[in-house]
Amino acid sequence: MRKMLYNNIKGVGLWLLAIGLWPLASCTTVPENARQEATLPKIYPDYVGVTVPVNIAPLCFNMADEKTMFVDAVVKDSHGNSLRGQGEEAVDFDIDDWHALLGQNRGDSLVVTVSAEYADGWHTYRPFSIYVSPDSIDYGICYRLIEPGYEVWSKMGIYERDLTSFDERALIENTQFEGCVNCHSFNRGNSADMSLHIRGHHGATLLRKDGGPFTAYNTKTDQTLGLCVYPYWHPSGRYVAYSTNKTSQIFHSSDRNRIEVFDEASDIQVYDVEKNELLLLPLLKQEDFYETYPVFSADGRSLYFCTARAISEGSHQLDSIRYNLCRIDFDPATGNFGSRIDTIVNATVQKKSLSFPRPSYDGRFLCYTLSDYGQFSIWHHEADLYLLDLSTGECRPMTMANSEDTESFHNWSTNSRWLVFSSRRDDGLFTRPYFCHIDAKGDVTKPFMLPQRNPRRFYRERFLSFNVPDFVIGPTRFDSYNVSRAINDAYRKDFGVRK
C-alpha cells in the first residue's frame, strides 16, 4: 500500500515539477510517535562502529530482520550538518551529499540514528557512530565472480568496482572464449602492469607492461613443472614471481570444510619481463618440499614464499601438510637469488599452516592467513588473518578483522592503510569482500562489507563469490575485444629460461 501511494505521489510530483508548481524539495517520511529503544539497531550489513575511508561509497543498509515496512536513518556530525536516508527495503543516501558530509568530517565521527516502522508502529534505536578516517582508499577493486562450485566452473569473469560509487563493469568474461579466467594481478594497483591467467582449451598467461598491448604466453617449459600461476609483481615492474603447482582436489566425507585443494608438487620461479627469461634456482624447486605463493618485499630485495615438506606419493594424510613463511634474498639489478632460505614464521610448530603472504607496500607489515593445514584456506572455516610486524618479528591475530568463519585471500591498498579480504562470515557459503583499516602501529578496526545500494537484495540475488580481490588506483584500461581475440588466437609466445 505504502509503495503504491509513494509511486502515485511521485508521479504527481514529477508532473507538478514539470509545470513549475512542485517545490524543489524531496519527499521524506518523518517517524512519528516512535518508541525509544535502548538497544542498538540490528542492521545488514553491520556498519555499527566501523571506520571508513573518507571517499567510500554510501553505507546503505537494511534492517537485519525482514519485518520492517520502512527504514529511516539520520546521520549527523558535530557541526550541525545532517543527512537523511530512507526507503522501504534499504536506507538510501544521496551519493553527492554523502561524500560532502564525509569530506567535512575527515578524522572525526558521525552519529547515525536509525528508526524502523513495523506493524506496531515506529521504533527509534540507540545512535551509533561511524569514524571517518583521514586515510583515503584507492579508486576501486578488481575481483573474479564465480559460482562457489567444486570441480566444475561455468560463467565467470574479472570485474572492476568503483569504491566511491556502486558502479561495476566487466573487464572480461568467459562468454568471450571457452575456458576459466583467474589469477589477475597488478603492480601495486597499477593496471599498466598486469598479468592474467586463462585455463582450458585456450590456456595462456596474458601479460602487459607499461600499459602496452597484452601478449599471450605459453609459460610451460621443459625445465618447469607446468604453467605459471599465483603471480606477484616486483615493484620495479621488471619481474613477476610465479609458482608452478601440480594440484588435486578431493571431497571430505564428513568434514564441514567440504573440499580440499592440495599440492602434489610445486616450485617457484621469477620471470624477467624485459629479457623474456625465467629465473630458476634449485633451492626453490626441491622435490622434498612444496613451494608456493611467492611475493616480493616492498623494497624488492627479498622474495617471500610458503613452503611445506612434501608427503609421500599416494599418501592421504593431507592434514599433515603445513606451510611456513620463508624468505630468500633477491638482487633486482642482476636477477640473482641469495644462497640461503630463512624461515620467518614457523607455523608448523603451532600445528598450523600459513598461506597468502602479502607485505604492505610501506614495508611495515605482512598479512597472512593461518589455517589448520594445507594451502587453500578458502574452504577452511577456521582460517584467520594474522599480522607480522616486519620491524620486530612479532606475529599476532587480527582479532578485530577475524570472525568465526573463513577469512582468506587479501591485499593492501597502495597507501598501506586499508586491507581488502575475503570472508564467509555472511552465510558460510559465499565469499564477500570486507575492508578494515590498519594504522602505523598495526591497530586493526572493525571491518565493513563492500557497500551496495540495497545490500540484502544484491547479495541474496547474486549467487556468486567474490574471488581474489585486489586494489586498482584508477579505471583499468582493458580492451576486452582485443584481449578475447588474443585468447582465441592459437599463437602463444614461449617463456625462455635463463642459462
Side-chain angles (χ1 to χ4, degrees), residues 345-366:
V345 178
N346 191 332
T348 304
V349 299
Q350 309 171 48
K351 294 186 177 180
K352 291 288 185 177
S353 187
L354 190 150
S355 59
F356 302 134
R358 284 294 186 273
S360 59
Y361 298 126
D362 61 2
R364 185 74 170 80
F365 301 105
L366 185 145

mmCIF file with all atom_site columns, all heavy atoms in Angstrom, residues 345-366:
data_model
loop_
_atom_site.group_PDB
_atom_site.id
_atom_site.type_symbol
_atom_site.label_atom_id
_atom_site.label_alt_id
_atom_site.label_comp_id
_atom_site.label_asym_id
_atom_site.label_entity_id
_atom_site.label_seq_id
_atom_site.pdbx_PDB_ins_code
_atom_site.Cartn_x
_atom_site.Cartn_y
_atom_site.Cartn_z
_atom_site.occupancy
_atom_site.B_iso_or_equiv
_atom_site.pdbx_formal_charge
_atom_site.auth_seq_id
_atom_site.auth_comp_id
_atom_site.auth_asym_id
_atom_site.auth_atom_id
_atom_site.pdbx_PDB_model_num
ATOM 1   N N   . VAL A 1 345 ? 58.264 -17.237 9.644  1.00 0.00 ? 345 VAL A N   1
ATOM 2   C CA  . VAL A 1 345 ? 57.202 -17.657 10.568 1.00 0.00 ? 345 VAL A CA  1
ATOM 3   C C   . VAL A 1 345 ? 57.096 -19.172 10.491 1.00 0.00 ? 345 VAL A C   1
ATOM 4   O O   . VAL A 1 345 ? 56.786 -19.733 9.437  1.00 0.00 ? 345 VAL A O   1
ATOM 5   C CB  . VAL A 1 345 ? 55.840 -17.018 10.208 1.00 0.00 ? 345 VAL A CB  1
ATOM 6   C CG1 . VAL A 1 345 ? 54.758 -17.530 11.156 1.00 0.00 ? 345 VAL A CG1 1
ATOM 7   C CG2 . VAL A 1 345 ? 55.918 -15.505 10.263 1.00 0.00 ? 345 VAL A CG2 1
ATOM 8   N N   . ASN A 1 346 ? 57.365 -19.821 11.615 1.00 0.00 ? 346 ASN A N   1
ATOM 9   C CA  . ASN A 1 346 ? 57.284 -21.276 11.686 1.00 0.00 ? 346 ASN A CA  1
ATOM 10  C C   . ASN A 1 346 ? 55.891 -21.649 12.182 1.00 0.00 ? 346 ASN A C   1
ATOM 11  O O   . ASN A 1 346 ? 55.639 -21.739 13.376 1.00 0.00 ? 346 ASN A O   1
ATOM 12  C CB  . ASN A 1 346 ? 58.355 -21.829 12.618 1.00 0.00 ? 346 ASN A CB  1
ATOM 13  C CG  . ASN A 1 346 ? 58.486 -23.340 12.511 1.00 0.00 ? 346 ASN A CG  1
ATOM 14  O OD1 . ASN A 1 346 ? 57.530 -24.035 12.191 1.00 0.00 ? 346 ASN A OD1 1
ATOM 15  N ND2 . ASN A 1 346 ? 59.678 -23.852 12.772 1.00 0.00 ? 346 ASN A ND2 1
ATOM 16  N N   . ALA A 1 347 ? 54.987 -21.838 11.235 1.00 0.00 ? 347 ALA A N   1
ATOM 17  C CA  . ALA A 1 347 ? 53.611 -22.186 11.606 1.00 0.00 ? 347 ALA A CA  1
ATOM 18  C C   . ALA A 1 347 ? 53.483 -23.638 12.009 1.00 0.00 ? 347 ALA A C   1
ATOM 19  O O   . ALA A 1 347 ? 52.569 -24.012 12.750 1.00 0.00 ? 347 ALA A O   1
ATOM 20  C CB  . ALA A 1 347 ? 52.674 -21.884 10.441 1.00 0.00 ? 347 ALA A CB  1
ATOM 21  N N   . THR A 1 348 ? 54.394 -24.476 11.536 1.00 0.00 ? 348 THR A N   1
ATOM 22  C CA  . THR A 1 348 ? 54.329 -25.906 11.822 1.00 0.00 ? 348 THR A CA  1
ATOM 23  C C   . THR A 1 348 ? 54.392 -26.191 13.315 1.00 0.00 ? 348 THR A C   1
ATOM 24  O O   . THR A 1 348 ? 53.689 -27.083 13.807 1.00 0.00 ? 348 THR A O   1
ATOM 25  C CB  . THR A 1 348 ? 55.468 -26.641 11.098 1.00 0.00 ? 348 THR A CB  1
ATOM 26  O OG1 . THR A 1 348 ? 55.389 -26.365 9.701  1.00 0.00 ? 348 THR A OG1 1
ATOM 27  C CG2 . THR A 1 348 ? 55.364 -28.139 11.307 1.00 0.00 ? 348 THR A CG2 1
ATOM 28  N N   . VAL A 1 349 ? 55.227 -25.433 14.055 1.00 0.00 ? 349 VAL A N   1
ATOM 29  C CA  . VAL A 1 349 ? 55.343 -25.665 15.490 1.00 0.00 ? 349 VAL A CA  1
ATOM 30  C C   . VAL A 1 349 ? 54.047 -25.320 16.210 1.00 0.00 ? 349 VAL A C   1
ATOM 31  O O   . VAL A 1 349 ? 53.808 -25.774 17.331 1.00 0.00 ? 349 VAL A O   1
ATOM 32  C CB  . VAL A 1 349 ? 56.523 -24.873 16.091 1.00 0.00 ? 349 VAL A CB  1
ATOM 33  C CG1 . VAL A 1 349 ? 57.839 -25.306 15.464 1.00 0.00 ? 349 VAL A CG1 1
ATOM 34  C CG2 . VAL A 1 349 ? 56.318 -23.374 15.922 1.00 0.00 ? 349 VAL A CG2 1
ATOM 35  N N   . GLN A 1 350 ? 53.203 -24.502 15.571 1.00 0.00 ? 350 GLN A N   1
ATOM 36  C CA  . GLN A 1 350 ? 51.901 -24.173 16.144 1.00 0.00 ? 350 GLN A CA  1
ATOM 37  C C   . GLN A 1 350 ? 50.824 -25.155 15.684 1.00 0.00 ? 350 GLN A C   1
ATOM 38  O O   . GLN A 1 350 ? 49.651 -24.985 16.011 1.00 0.00 ? 350 GLN A O   1
ATOM 39  C CB  . GLN A 1 350 ? 51.478 -22.761 15.726 1.00 0.00 ? 350 GLN A CB  1
ATOM 40  C CG  . GLN A 1 350 ? 52.505 -21.676 15.968 1.00 0.00 ? 350 GLN A CG  1
ATOM 41  C CD  . GLN A 1 350 ? 52.087 -20.358 15.321 1.00 0.00 ? 350 GLN A CD  1
ATOM 42  O OE1 . GLN A 1 350 ? 50.943 -19.905 15.479 1.00 0.00 ? 350 GLN A OE1 1
ATOM 43  N NE2 . GLN A 1 350 ? 52.982 -19.735 14.573 1.00 0.00 ? 350 GLN A NE2 1
ATOM 44  N N   . LYS A 1 351 ? 51.252 -26.161 14.877 1.00 0.00 ? 351 LYS A N   1
ATOM 45  C CA  . LYS A 1 351 ? 50.325 -27.092 14.245 1.00 0.00 ? 351 LYS A CA  1
ATOM 46  C C   . LYS A 1 351 ? 49.320 -26.338 13.376 1.00 0.00 ? 351 LYS A C   1
ATOM 47  O O   . LYS A 1 351 ? 48.120 -26.634 13.348 1.00 0.00 ? 351 LYS A O   1
ATOM 48  C CB  . LYS A 1 351 ? 49.618 -27.960 15.285 1.00 0.00 ? 351 LYS A CB  1
ATOM 49  C CG  . LYS A 1 351 ? 50.559 -28.907 16.011 1.00 0.00 ? 351 LYS A CG  1
ATOM 50  C CD  . LYS A 1 351 ? 49.815 -29.866 16.928 1.00 0.00 ? 351 LYS A CD  1
ATOM 51  C CE  . LYS A 1 351 ? 50.784 -30.846 17.589 1.00 0.00 ? 351 LYS A CE  1
ATOM 52  N NZ  . LYS A 1 351 ? 50.091 -31.795 18.475 1.00 0.00 ? 351 LYS A NZ  1
ATOM 53  N N   . LYS A 1 352 ? 49.853 -25.343 12.674 1.00 0.00 ? 352 LYS A N   1
ATOM 54  C CA  . LYS A 1 352 ? 49.078 -24.520 11.763 1.00 0.00 ? 352 LYS A CA  1
ATOM 55  C C   . LYS A 1 352 ? 49.778 -24.466 10.415 1.00 0.00 ? 352 LYS A C   1
ATOM 56  O O   . LYS A 1 352 ? 50.924 -24.904 10.267 1.00 0.00 ? 352 LYS A O   1
ATOM 57  C CB  . LYS A 1 352 ? 48.894 -23.100 12.318 1.00 0.00 ? 352 LYS A CB  1
ATOM 58  C CG  . LYS A 1 352 ? 47.996 -23.021 13.544 1.00 0.00 ? 352 LYS A CG  1
ATOM 59  C CD  . LYS A 1 352 ? 46.538 -23.243 13.176 1.00 0.00 ? 352 LYS A CD  1
ATOM 60  C CE  . LYS A 1 352 ? 45.614 -23.055 14.360 1.00 0.00 ? 352 LYS A CE  1
ATOM 61  N NZ  . LYS A 1 352 ? 44.179 -23.212 13.983 1.00 0.00 ? 352 LYS A NZ  1
ATOM 62  N N   . SER A 1 353 ? 49.089 -23.909 9.423  1.00 0.00 ? 353 SER A N   1
ATOM 63  C CA  . SER A 1 353 ? 49.639 -23.785 8.081  1.00 0.00 ? 353 SER A CA  1
ATOM 64  C C   . SER A 1 353 ? 49.403 -22.368 7.571  1.00 0.00 ? 353 SER A C   1
ATOM 65  O O   . SER A 1 353 ? 48.326 -21.797 7.759  1.00 0.00 ? 353 SER A O   1
ATOM 66  C CB  . SER A 1 353 ? 48.973 -24.795 7.143  1.00 0.00 ? 353 SER A CB  1
ATOM 67  O OG  . SER A 1 353 ? 49.596 -24.794 5.881  1.00 0.00 ? 353 SER A OG  1
ATOM 68  N N   . LEU A 1 354 ? 50.424 -21.809 6.926  1.00 0.00 ? 354 LEU A N   1
ATOM 69  C CA  . LEU A 1 354 ? 50.406 -20.401 6.524  1.00 0.00 ? 354 LEU A CA  1
ATOM 70  C C   . LEU A 1 354 ? 50.241 -20.288 5.005  1.00 0.00 ? 354 LEU A C   1
ATOM 71  O O   . LEU A 1 354 ? 50.879 -21.012 4.243  1.00 0.00 ? 354 LEU A O   1
ATOM 72  C CB  . LEU A 1 354 ? 51.700 -19.726 6.984  1.00 0.00 ? 354 LEU A CB  1
ATOM 73  C CG  . LEU A 1 354 ? 51.837 -18.222 6.888  1.00 0.00 ? 354 LEU A CG  1
ATOM 74  C CD1 . LEU A 1 354 ? 52.763 -17.706 7.992  1.00 0.00 ? 354 LEU A CD1 1
ATOM 75  C CD2 . LEU A 1 354 ? 52.364 -17.771 5.535  1.00 0.00 ? 354 LEU A CD2 1
ATOM 76  N N   . SER A 1 355 ? 49.396 -19.363 4.575  1.00 0.00 ? 355 SER A N   1
ATOM 77  C CA  . SER A 1 355 ? 49.184 -19.137 3.147  1.00 0.00 ? 355 SER A CA  1
ATOM 78  C C   . SER A 1 355 ? 48.935 -17.653 2.879  1.00 0.00 ? 355 SER A C   1
ATOM 79  O O   . SER A 1 355 ? 48.708 -16.867 3.801  1.00 0.00 ? 355 SER A O   1
ATOM 80  C CB  . SER A 1 355 ? 48.007 -19.967 2.627  1.00 0.00 ? 355 SER A CB  1
ATOM 81  O OG  . SER A 1 355 ? 46.820 -19.647 3.322  1.00 0.00 ? 355 SER A OG  1
ATOM 82  N N   . PHE A 1 356 ? 48.982 -17.281 1.607  1.00 0.00 ? 356 PHE A N   1
ATOM 83  C CA  . PHE A 1 356 ? 48.679 -15.936 1.120  1.00 0.00 ? 356 PHE A CA  1
ATOM 84  C C   . PHE A 1 356 ? 49.448 -14.823 1.847  1.00 0.00 ? 356 PHE A C   1
ATOM 85  O O   . PHE A 1 356 ? 48.844 -13.882 2.373  1.00 0.00 ? 356 PHE A O   1
ATOM 86  C CB  . PHE A 1 356 ? 47.175 -15.644 1.221  1.00 0.00 ? 356 PHE A CB  1
ATOM 87  C CG  . PHE A 1 356 ? 46.312 -16.610 0.467  1.00 0.00 ? 356 PHE A CG  1
ATOM 88  C CD1 . PHE A 1 356 ? 45.174 -17.149 1.066  1.00 0.00 ? 356 PHE A CD1 1
ATOM 89  C CD2 . PHE A 1 356 ? 46.633 -17.000 -0.818 1.00 0.00 ? 356 PHE A CD2 1
ATOM 90  C CE1 . PHE A 1 356 ? 44.362 -18.041 0.373  1.00 0.00 ? 356 PHE A CE1 1
ATOM 91  C CE2 . PHE A 1 356 ? 45.818 -17.897 -1.514 1.00 0.00 ? 356 PHE A CE2 1
ATOM 92  C CZ  . PHE A 1 356 ? 44.695 -18.427 -0.919 1.00 0.00 ? 356 PHE A CZ  1
ATOM 93  N N   . PRO A 1 357 ? 50.775 -14.891 1.897  1.00 0.00 ? 357 PRO A N   1
ATOM 94  C CA  . PRO A 1 357 ? 51.516 -13.769 2.479  1.00 0.00 ? 357 PRO A CA  1
ATOM 95  C C   . PRO A 1 357 ? 51.382 -12.530 1.595  1.00 0.00 ? 357 PRO A C   1
ATOM 96  O O   . PRO A 1 357 ? 51.461 -12.613 0.374  1.00 0.00 ? 357 PRO A O   1
ATOM 97  C CB  . PRO A 1 357 ? 52.963 -14.278 2.516  1.00 0.00 ? 357 PRO A CB  1
ATOM 98  C CG  . PRO A 1 357 ? 53.031 -15.281 1.405  1.00 0.00 ? 357 PRO A CG  1
ATOM 99  C CD  . PRO A 1 357 ? 51.676 -15.924 1.351  1.00 0.00 ? 357 PRO A CD  1
ATOM 100 N N   . ARG A 1 358 ? 51.142 -11.370 2.207  1.00 0.00 ? 358 ARG A N   1
ATOM 101 C CA  . ARG A 1 358 ? 51.027 -10.112 1.480  1.00 0.00 ? 358 ARG A CA  1
ATOM 102 C C   . ARG A 1 358 ? 51.694 -9.002  2.295  1.00 0.00 ? 358 ARG A C   1
ATOM 103 O O   . ARG A 1 358 ? 51.154 -8.557  3.305  1.00 0.00 ? 358 ARG A O   1
ATOM 104 C CB  . ARG A 1 358 ? 49.566 -9.740  1.213  1.00 0.00 ? 358 ARG A CB  1
ATOM 105 C CG  . ARG A 1 358 ? 48.903 -10.531 0.090  1.00 0.00 ? 358 ARG A CG  1
ATOM 106 C CD  . ARG A 1 358 ? 49.540 -10.196 -1.252 1.00 0.00 ? 358 ARG A CD  1
ATOM 107 N NE  . ARG A 1 358 ? 48.874 -10.803 -2.381 1.00 0.00 ? 358 ARG A NE  1
ATOM 108 C CZ  . ARG A 1 358 ? 49.131 -12.019 -2.859 1.00 0.00 ? 358 ARG A CZ  1
ATOM 109 N NH1 . ARG A 1 358 ? 50.007 -12.789 -2.239 1.00 0.00 ? 358 ARG A NH1 1
ATOM 110 N NH2 . ARG A 1 358 ? 48.517 -12.480 -3.926 1.00 0.00 ? 358 ARG A NH2 1
ATOM 111 N N   . PRO A 1 359 ? 52.893 -8.513  1.864  1.00 0.00 ? 359 PRO A N   1
ATOM 112 C CA  . PRO A 1 359 ? 53.543 -7.416  2.581  1.00 0.00 ? 359 PRO A CA  1
ATOM 113 C C   . PRO A 1 359 ? 52.895 -6.080  2.241  1.00 0.00 ? 359 PRO A C   1
ATOM 114 O O   . PRO A 1 359 ? 52.469 -5.852  1.101  1.00 0.00 ? 359 PRO A O   1
ATOM 115 C CB  . PRO A 1 359 ? 54.991 -7.471  2.074  1.00 0.00 ? 359 PRO A CB  1
ATOM 116 C CG  . PRO A 1 359 ? 54.903 -8.119  0.735  1.00 0.00 ? 359 PRO A CG  1
ATOM 117 C CD  . PRO A 1 359 ? 53.725 -9.039  0.769  1.00 0.00 ? 359 PRO A CD  1
ATOM 118 N N   . SER A 1 360 ? 52.787 -5.204  3.234  1.00 0.00 ? 360 SER A N   1
ATOM 119 C CA  . SER A 1 360 ? 52.291 -3.855  2.961  1.00 0.00 ? 360 SER A CA  1
ATOM 120 C C   . SER A 1 360 ? 53.332 -3.115  2.127  1.00 0.00 ? 360 SER A C   1
ATOM 121 O O   . SER A 1 360 ? 54.532 -3.373  2.210  1.00 0.00 ? 360 SER A O   1
ATOM 122 C CB  . SER A 1 360 ? 52.021 -3.105  4.268  1.00 0.00 ? 360 SER A CB  1
ATOM 123 O OG  . SER A 1 360 ? 53.197 -3.009  5.055  1.00 0.00 ? 360 SER A OG  1
ATOM 124 N N   . TYR A 1 361 ? 52.876 -2.179  1.317  1.00 0.00 ? 361 TYR A N   1
ATOM 125 C CA  . TYR A 1 361 ? 53.769 -1.508  0.367  1.00 0.00 ? 361 TYR A CA  1
ATOM 126 C C   . TYR A 1 361 ? 54.714 -0.525  1.044  1.00 0.00 ? 361 TYR A C   1
ATOM 127 O O   . TYR A 1 361 ? 55.686 -0.071  0.422  1.00 0.00 ? 361 TYR A O   1
ATOM 128 C CB  . TYR A 1 361 ? 52.938 -0.804  -0.702 1.00 0.00 ? 361 TYR A CB  1
ATOM 129 C CG  . TYR A 1 361 ? 52.094 -1.756  -1.521 1.00 0.00 ? 361 TYR A CG  1
ATOM 130 C CD1 . TYR A 1 361 ? 50.724 -1.571  -1.650 1.00 0.00 ? 361 TYR A CD1 1
ATOM 131 C CD2 . TYR A 1 361 ? 52.656 -2.870  -2.136 1.00 0.00 ? 361 TYR A CD2 1
ATOM 132 C CE1 . TYR A 1 361 ? 49.944 -2.453  -2.386 1.00 0.00 ? 361 TYR A CE1 1
ATOM 133 C CE2 . TYR A 1 361 ? 51.885 -3.760  -2.867 1.00 0.00 ? 361 TYR A CE2 1
ATOM 134 C CZ  . TYR A 1 361 ? 50.530 -3.538  -2.992 1.00 0.00 ? 361 TYR A CZ  1
ATOM 135 O OH  . TYR A 1 361 ? 49.758 -4.418  -3.722 1.00 0.00 ? 361 TYR A OH  1
ATOM 136 N N   . ASP A 1 362 ? 54.445 -0.183  2.310  1.00 0.00 ? 362 ASP A N   1
ATOM 137 C CA  . ASP A 1 362 ? 55.380 0.676   3.040  1.00 0.00 ? 362 ASP A CA  1
ATOM 138 C C   . ASP A 1 362 ? 56.448 -0.135  3.770  1.00 0.00 ? 362 ASP A C   1
ATOM 139 O O   . ASP A 1 362 ? 57.302 0.434   4.456  1.00 0.00 ? 362 ASP A O   1
ATOM 140 C CB  . ASP A 1 362 ? 54.635 1.584   4.023  1.00 0.00 ? 362 ASP A CB  1
ATOM 141 C CG  . ASP A 1 362 ? 53.865 0.798   5.090  1.00 0.00 ? 362 ASP A CG  1
ATOM 142 O OD1 . ASP A 1 362 ? 53.932 -0.457  5.100  1.00 0.00 ? 362 ASP A OD1 1
ATOM 143 O OD2 . ASP A 1 362 ? 53.184 1.440   5.914  1.00 0.00 ? 362 ASP A OD2 1
ATOM 144 N N   . GLY A 1 363 ? 56.407 -1.467  3.632  1.00 0.00 ? 363 GLY A N   1
ATOM 145 C CA  . GLY A 1 363 ? 57.424 -2.324  4.235  1.00 0.00 ? 363 GLY A CA  1
ATOM 146 C C   . GLY A 1 363 ? 57.255 -2.557  5.720  1.00 0.00 ? 363 GLY A C   1
ATOM 147 O O   . GLY A 1 363 ? 58.140 -3.137  6.364  1.00 0.00 ? 363 GLY A O   1
ATOM 148 N N   . ARG A 1 364 ? 56.124 -2.158  6.284  1.00 0.00 ? 364 ARG A N   1
ATOM 149 C CA  . ARG A 1 364 ? 55.946 -2.217  7.736  1.00 0.00 ? 364 ARG A CA  1
ATOM 150 C C   . ARG A 1 364 ? 55.400 -3.566  8.212  1.00 0.00 ? 364 ARG A C   1
ATOM 151 O O   . ARG A 1 364 ? 55.855 -4.106  9.211  1.00 0.00 ? 364 ARG A O   1
ATOM 152 C CB  . ARG A 1 364 ? 54.986 -1.102  8.144  1.00 0.00 ? 364 ARG A CB  1
ATOM 153 C CG  . ARG A 1 364 ? 54.786 -0.957  9.636  1.00 0.00 ? 364 ARG A CG  1
ATOM 154 C CD  . ARG A 1 364 ? 55.981 -0.341  10.333 1.00 0.00 ? 364 ARG A CD  1
ATOM 155 N NE  . ARG A 1 364 ? 55.641 -0.021  11.707 1.00 0.00 ? 364 ARG A NE  1
ATOM 156 C CZ  . ARG A 1 364 ? 55.620 -0.901  12.708 1.00 0.00 ? 364 ARG A CZ  1
ATOM 157 N NH1 . ARG A 1 364 ? 55.934 -2.159  12.476 1.00 0.00 ? 364 ARG A NH1 1
ATOM 158 N NH2 . ARG A 1 364 ? 55.300 -0.527  13.931 1.00 0.00 ? 364 ARG A NH2 1
ATOM 159 N N   . PHE A 1 365 ? 54.423 -4.111  7.507  1.00 0.00 ? 365 PHE A N   1
ATOM 160 C CA  . PHE A 1 365 ? 53.748 -5.323  7.958  1.00 0.00 ? 365 PHE A CA  1
ATOM 161 C C   . PHE A 1 365 ? 53.662 -6.355  6.839  1.00 0.00 ? 365 PHE A C   1
ATOM 162 O O   . PHE A 1 365 ? 53.882 -6.050  5.663  1.00 0.00 ? 365 PHE A O   1
ATOM 163 C CB  . PHE A 1 365 ? 52.331 -4.999  8.456  1.00 0.00 ? 365 PHE A CB  1
ATOM 164 C CG  . PHE A 1 365 ? 52.267 -4.027  9.589  1.00 0.00 ? 365 PHE A CG  1
ATOM 165 C CD1 . PHE A 1 365 ? 51.854 -2.718  9.368  1.00 0.00 ? 365 PHE A CD1 1
ATOM 166 C CD2 . PHE A 1 365 ? 52.604 -4.414  10.868 1.00 0.00 ? 365 PHE A CD2 1
ATOM 167 C CE1 . PHE A 1 365 ? 51.791 -1.807  10.409 1.00 0.00 ? 365 PHE A CE1 1
ATOM 168 C CE2 . PHE A 1 365 ? 52.551 -3.514  11.925 1.00 0.00 ? 365 PHE A CE2 1
ATOM 169 C CZ  . PHE A 1 365 ? 52.138 -2.196  11.686 1.00 0.00 ? 365 PHE A CZ  1
ATOM 170 N N   . LEU A 1 366 ? 53.312 -7.556  7.234  1.00 0.00 ? 366 LEU A N   1
ATOM 171 C CA  . LEU A 1 366 ? 52.974 -8.610  6.295  1.00 0.00 ? 366 LEU A CA  1
ATOM 172 C C   . LEU A 1 366 ? 51.749 -9.331  6.844  1.00 0.00 ? 366 LEU A C   1
ATOM 173 O O   . LEU A 1 366 ? 51.754 -9.787  7.992  1.00 0.00 ? 366 LEU A O   1
ATOM 174 C CB  . LEU A 1 366 ? 54.137 -9.582  6.099  1.00 0.00 ? 366 LEU A CB  1
ATOM 175 C CG  . LEU A 1 366 ? 53.945 -10.683 5.042  1.00 0.00 ? 366 LEU A CG  1
ATOM 176 C CD1 . LEU A 1 366 ? 55.267 -11.002 4.333  1.00 0.00 ? 366 LEU A CD1 1
ATOM 177 C CD2 . LEU A 1 366 ? 53.380 -11.966 5.659  1.00 0.00 ? 366 LEU A CD2 1
#
